[in-house]
Amino acid sequence: MSAKMSDLPGAVLEWSTDQVENWLRKCGHSDYVIRLLCDEHKIDGKALLTLTENDLKSPPVSMKILGDIKRLSTDLRLLQKKNFSCLEDLGLSLGPTVQAYSRLKLTNLDEANDFPNEDKSLYDEPTQPLGKRDSRALYLPPEFGKTFLSMAYLFVVTWITAFVMVIVHDRVPDMKKYPPLPDIFLDNVPTISWAFHMCEVTGSLLLLIWVAVLITHKHRFILLRRFFALSGTVFLLRCITMLITSLSVPGTHLECNPRPYGDLWAKIQHAYVIWRGAGMSIQGVRTCGDYMFSGHTVALTMLNFFITEYTPRRMYFLHTFSWLLNMFGIFFILSAHEHYSIDVFIAFYITSRLFLYYHTLANNQALMQRDSGRTRVWFPLFSFFESSVGGIVPNEFEWPFTTEQLKAWITPLMMSVLAALIALRNKGPLAAKQN
């Protein structure tokens, strides 16, 4: 019979080998098991929480009696469930740590009652995994090569987008012949001339926050890879929708007339101007015809979702501020009459759904592995970029550089500046004497 929670001496992580021995005795284990774990292998509380059935059967422990292995593994499983928060403090999770027990059926109702907050359906269904909580990935390699490829993918897509914007501007419908389409929001809200600039200001603020998150996040290269891949995919889809159908200009105040750019080289040059300015009006870029759907809304929404996903939930103020910037940015787009309401709605819906679908698959490897062939066909980028990520990416933060590295870089720089200042100071009197 397993020891009750009230019988356990103190926090498990702080247990000594003697306290582990006491726990084993209260659980009714043999002197052979106690001697093997406590005397020979010095198992303390921290080591006890991370033991698995495979550890018990494999060298150097190599337990031989199956009954002892199963009884101990059952008690370990119960202890790990009771101390799930301790496992999280160790950077582990219930699923990956003890997945060897994930299909174990508990039949002792007294033991089940030790966990009043647990879902009792876990004890009723023998095939239900006990590790029901989301499992964090234990090993997350940065994979710089994949991050570089994802950046190259986004780079190519942004160039394609800029070139497509040049083409659709050539095809923009005549404003006199094709007036703005009926729109519930645009028909009832007057044009605000400065609103579109404010939209881009809110987007710039979101970008600064996202850069700060990337700099301090421990798994920054995985975040970058996901951001580049998702952004590139949404903007590539936008290129297709822009080419398929050309909508009439949404605002009569806009100066949108077809501009024949001439040969291919002239179009590439103008595409470079759009690409260099990131398609932003505050950078002097003005385009027409790139409707269905809004690229500004895509950028605002993507930044907002990444910021809120990869910062701790306790940062309520930051999450609220991020959502406010997202919503106000969308409002400014519509107030400027730069896009139809349907452009903004579709952009928000597609961006948010793609983000959520991607992360649902990434955080639940069983979904991806259930039909890996179909996943590779329909989600080739996802299958490639996420092949080494085995679960949820934890929000852990660290400075990108150590104090020693900063000193190693700053000290030579300061010495160079000081030497240059001394040289300038000595050069002054010499120049004065020569004059």
Side-chain angles (χ1 to χ4, degrees):
M1 179 70 178
S2 298
K4 299 293 185 189
M5 194 71 175
S6 58
D7 298 332
L8 303 179
V12 179
L13 284 179
E14 306 299 326
W15 285 2
S16 64
T17 53
D18 291 336
Q19 289 171 308
V20 170
E21 179 179 343
N22 291 336
W23 177 79
L24 289 169
R25 290 190 185 282
K26 288 177 181 178
C27 291
H29 293 287
S30 65
D31 291 338
Y32 159 72
V33 173
I34 295 170
R35 203 165 46 248
L36 184 65
L37 295 182
C38 299
D39 296 341
E40 292 187 27
H41 295 286
K42 310 298 181 186
I43 299 295
D44 57 8
K46 186 180 294 187
L48 186 69
L49 277 181
T50 59
L51 277 179
T52 66
E53 184 173 337
N54 189 52
D55 293 332
L56 300 178
K57 294 188 293 186
S58 304
V61 179
S62 300
M63 291 178 64
K64 302 298 183 183
I65 303 174
L66 182 61
D68 287 340
I69 294 172
K70 291 300 181 181
R71 283 188 290 272
L72 180 56
S73 65
T74 301
D75 289 331
L76 284 173
R77 175 64 184 170
L78 291 171
L79 186 68
Q80 289 159 344
K81 284 182 67 61
K82 294 173 184 177
N83 294 273
F84 179 74
S85 59
C86 296
L87 289 173
E88 288 187 323
D89 292 339
L90 293 174
L92 304 173
S93 65
L94 193 59
T97 308
V98 289
Q99 62 183 7
Y101 317 115
S102 62
R103 295 188 179 276
L104 177 66
K105 180 181 180 180
L106 297 183
T107 56
N108 191 325
L109 295 180
D110 290 334
E111 293 173 352
N113 290 331
D114 286 345
F115 318 112
N117 296 324
E118 291 291 334
D119 184 356
K120 294 303 183 291
S121 65
L122 299 180
Y123 307 103
D124 299 330
E125 177 57 52
T127 60
Q128 173 68 44
L130 290 177
K132 200 175 181 184
R133 297 178 178 89
D134 287 332
S135 57
R136 298 182 185 181
L138 296 178
Y139 177 62
L140 294 169
E143 297 185 292
F144 305 111
K146 288 184 179 180
T147 303
F148 176 79
L149 286 176
S150 66
M151 182 177 65
Y153 170 65
L154 180 61
F155 176 83
V156 171
V157 169
T158 53
W159 259 103
I160 294 173
T161 302
F163 189 77
V164 169
M165 290 170 77
V166 173
I167 295 174
V168 298
H169 199 132
D170 283 351
R171 298 169 48 200
V172 65
D174 187 353
M175 296 180 63
K176 295 180 181 179
K177 187 176 180 181
Y178 300 98
L181 298 172
D183 187 285
I184 293 176
F185 188 94
L186 303 187
D187 293 344
N188 294 281
V189 176
T191 305
I192 302 176
S193 58
W194 46 266
F196 202 57
H197 287 332
M198 283 302 300
C199 159
E200 294 179 346
V201 170
T202 59
S204 300
L205 284 174
L206 283 171
L207 180 60
L208 288 175
I209 296 171
W210 174 234
V211 169
V213 172
L214 282 174
I215 290 173
T216 55
H217 203 286
K218 182 179 179 179
H219 307 291
R220 59 188 66 89
F221 290 101
I222 296 177
L223 272 59
L224 267 176
R225 187 161 68 242
R226 292 179 172 181
F227 181 78
F228 290 151
L230 283 171
S231 299
T233 301
V234 177
F235 276 98
L236 191 60
L237 178 61
R238 181 172 180 260
C239 291
I240 297 171
T241 61
M242 285 192 296
L243 277 173
I244 290 175
T245 304
S246 295
L247 299 179
S248 58
V249 179
T252 55
H253 66 290
L254 299 173
E255 297 179 2
C256 289
N257 298 312
R259 296 185 225 166
Y261 291 106
D263 59 7
L264 178 62
W265 178 244
K267 291 179 179 179
I268 292 175
Q269 286 180 314
H270 193 73
Y272 171 72
V273 173
I274 296 173
W275 179 84
R276 183 185 59 193
M280 299 174 67
S281 62
I282 57 176
Q283 297 284 348
V285 177
R286 169 56 65 184
T287 59
C288 292
D290 53 333
Y291 310 122
M292 191 62 66
F293 44 90
S294 167
H296 283 71
T297 303
V298 168
L300 290 167
T301 306
M302 191 69 73
L303 289 168
N304 171 35
F305 271 71
F306 267 95
I307 290 169
T308 53
E309 175 72 17
Y310 292 109
T311 49
R313 292 184 179 180
R314 65 179 178 272
M315 302 179 71
Y316 304 115
F317 175 78
L318 176 62
H319 294 179
T320 303
F321 183 62
S322 178
W323 271 103
L324 285 174
L325 288 177
N326 191 178
M327 294 300 104
F328 271 103
I330 290 174
F331 172 77
F332 288 138
I333 293 171
L334 294 173
S335 299
H337 289 211
E338 291 282 345
H339 277 280
Y340 290 106
S341 301
I342 190 65
D343 297 348
V344 171
F345 174 78
I346 290 178
F348 180 84
Y349 184 82
I350 289 177
T351 305
S352 60
R353 295 314 96 180
L354 188 61
F355 179 93
L356 294 173
Y357 295 156
Y358 188 101
H359 283 78
T360 299
L361 281 175
N363 295 341
N364 296 273
Q365 290 296 303
L367 293 177
M368 185 176 71
Q369 295 169 1
R370 182 178 179 181
D371 195 345
S372 58
R374 184 179 298 178
T375 302
R376 283 193 295 269
V377 171
W378 288 103
F379 308 104
L381 286 176
F382 172 84
S383 299
F384 175 69
F385 289 135
E386 301 296 328
S387 60
S388 300
V389 180
I392 296 174
V393 176
N395 288 325
E396 301 169 342
F397 296 88
E398 64 179 11
W399 290 109
F401 311 113
T402 63
T403 307
E404 291 73 15
Q405 288 175 325
L406 287 175
K407 287 180 180 179
W409 294 337
I410 292 175
T411 302
L413 179 62
M414 292 181 64
M415 294 297 293
S416 300
V417 171
L418 185 62
L421 291 173
I422 293 174
L424 287 173
R425 183 180 178 184
N426 293 336
K427 188 177 180 180
L430 288 174
K433 289 180 181 180
Q434 290 176 357
N435 292 335

